[in-house]
Amino acid sequence: MPILVKRTSGIIEPVPYFKFPSGEVHIRDFDVSNITQVIFNWRGDHTDLAVLSSLITLPSCMSNLTSDLLVPYLPASRADRIVGNESLGKAAYVDLISAAWDGISGNYYSSIDTWDIHSTRGTDADITNIPRMQQYLSTYKFPDNSVLLAPDEGALSRVAAISAATGLPYLGATKNRDYATGRLLSNSVPLVLGEFDNIFVIDDICDGGGTFLLLAESIRKQNISSNLHLFVTHGIFSKGKSDLESRYSTVFALNDWITDTVHY
């Protein structure tokens, strides 16, 4: 049940619902008092949009619910550009979530928060980005002689901000992808990586893991034997973790879809 609520006690619990035989979602007699946050923990099920909409239509929500909505992983966050005649997927989900949160009830609450948004394209003023990985790593105990590595140009500004927060140096790799097929063609890594004992690859999303597998292969081809660590905000891991774990000493996600663990 990825629609959750956080109580003033700190307890996080799912919002219970049932479906009619015809498939419609319904919520009955759910206590919305003492809620400090509603969490939309997306795991790929569109039923959850209906659950969110149903929650906000409970009569008691009208007077009691004044919290923010947290959407750690914004659905379709990578569908943030238009090439030819294609939909802007991120904007579609932003519209649906915004409508579920405030349009249906007629009340306008605080912002919708998300973690490490892929880009601001396709979003609106309702969406507030939280640099969650930067927050987490600012107190992380890194081993000696570590460096942060952005796997591509898109991650560079995020990794630079984490570098400023942690005081660690950072470097950037590059990659070349065929946009039409999604196939990774090549990448390159800076040779200076070999001067560090620990390389922390940091990004917002790991889906199938191809970017990070190719990156690890490229690093090893340069005879760099440093320990590799992979830290991502959202670990979808659609092809599992085993291949990644065979190449990285650490595979960590703040929002791990495999174990359904979220570091709030």
Side-chain angles (χ1 to χ4, degrees):
M1 295 183 180
I3 302 298
L4 312 166
V5 294
K6 185 176 183 179
R7 305 283 186 182
T8 52
S9 63
I11 293 174
I12 295 176
E13 62 187 73
V15 175
Y17 68 91
F18 66 90
K19 285 187 177 182
F20 290 103
S22 49
E24 296 94 335
V25 165
H26 194 67
I27 300 172
R28 180 179 291 149
D29 297 329
F30 180 63
D31 179 14
V32 299
S33 62
N34 302 314
I35 291 177
T36 61
Q37 191 173 53
V38 177
I39 302 167
F40 183 3
N41 193 26
W42 173 261
R43 290 292 185 265
D45 186 353
H46 288 80
T47 297
D48 301 318
L49 286 166
V51 176
L52 181 62
S53 297
S54 297
L55 173 65
I56 216 70
T57 62
L58 288 171
S60 52
C61 275
M62 303 291 282
S63 58
N64 291 329
L65 189 58
T66 57
S67 64
D68 288 347
L69 173 66
L70 173 63
V71 188
Y73 173 78
L74 187 66
S77 59
R78 291 163 290 174
D80 56 6
R81 54 182 167 173
I82 297 174
V83 177
N85 185 28
E86 64 177 303
S87 63
L88 186 58
K90 181 194 285 186
Y93 280 93
V94 168
D95 287 346
L96 288 169
I97 293 169
S98 296
W101 184 235
D102 53 30
I104 292 174
S105 70
N107 289 337
Y108 289 84
Y109 301 104
S110 300
S111 67
I112 299 171
D113 299 332
T114 192
W115 289 354
D116 293 327
I117 196 167
H118 190 66
S119 78
T120 57
R121 291 189 298 271
T123 62
D124 57 29
D126 285 340
I127 305 294
T128 298
N129 180 52
I130 296 175
R132 186 68 188 96
M133 185 59 79
Q134 178 180 326
Q135 292 176 343
Y136 181 82
L137 291 180
S138 64
T139 58
Y140 184 77
K141 302 298 184 183
F142 287 92
D144 291 340
N145 198 26
S146 293
V147 65
L148 311 179
L149 178 63
D152 54 35
E153 293 91 337
L156 201 57
S157 61
R158 184 180 300 109
V159 173
I162 294 172
S163 170
T166 60
L168 290 177
Y170 75 96
L171 297 165
T174 61
K175 72 179 179 184
N176 182 23
R177 184 191 294 272
D178 184 337
Y179 179 79
T181 65
R183 180 171 174 266
L184 289 168
L185 302 176
S186 64
N187 68 359
S188 62
V189 298
L191 295 181
V192 70
L193 283 172
E195 299 177 7
F196 297 91
D197 295 327
N198 294 278
I199 300 170
F200 283 79
V201 179
I202 299 173
D203 210 350
D204 57 338
I205 300 169
C206 176
D207 193 333
T211 293
F212 308 107
L213 294 173
L214 181 61
L215 180 62
E217 180 182 336
S218 298
I219 290 173
R220 295 310 184 209
K221 282 183 177 179
Q222 299 296 338
N223 294 318
I224 296 172
S225 59
S226 312
N227 294 317
L228 300 181
H229 309 272
L230 177 61
F231 277 61
V232 295
T233 305
H234 308 291
I236 299 171
F237 304 125
S238 57
K239 295 184 179 180
K241 292 182 181 179
S242 58
D243 285 345
L244 290 165
E245 290 173 338
S246 70
R247 293 163 174 81
Y248 288 86
S249 299
T250 309
V251 177
F252 173 80
L254 288 168
N255 179 15
D256 190 319
W257 289 34
I258 296 291
T259 62
D260 201 20
T261 301
V262 185
H263 294 263
Y264 295 108

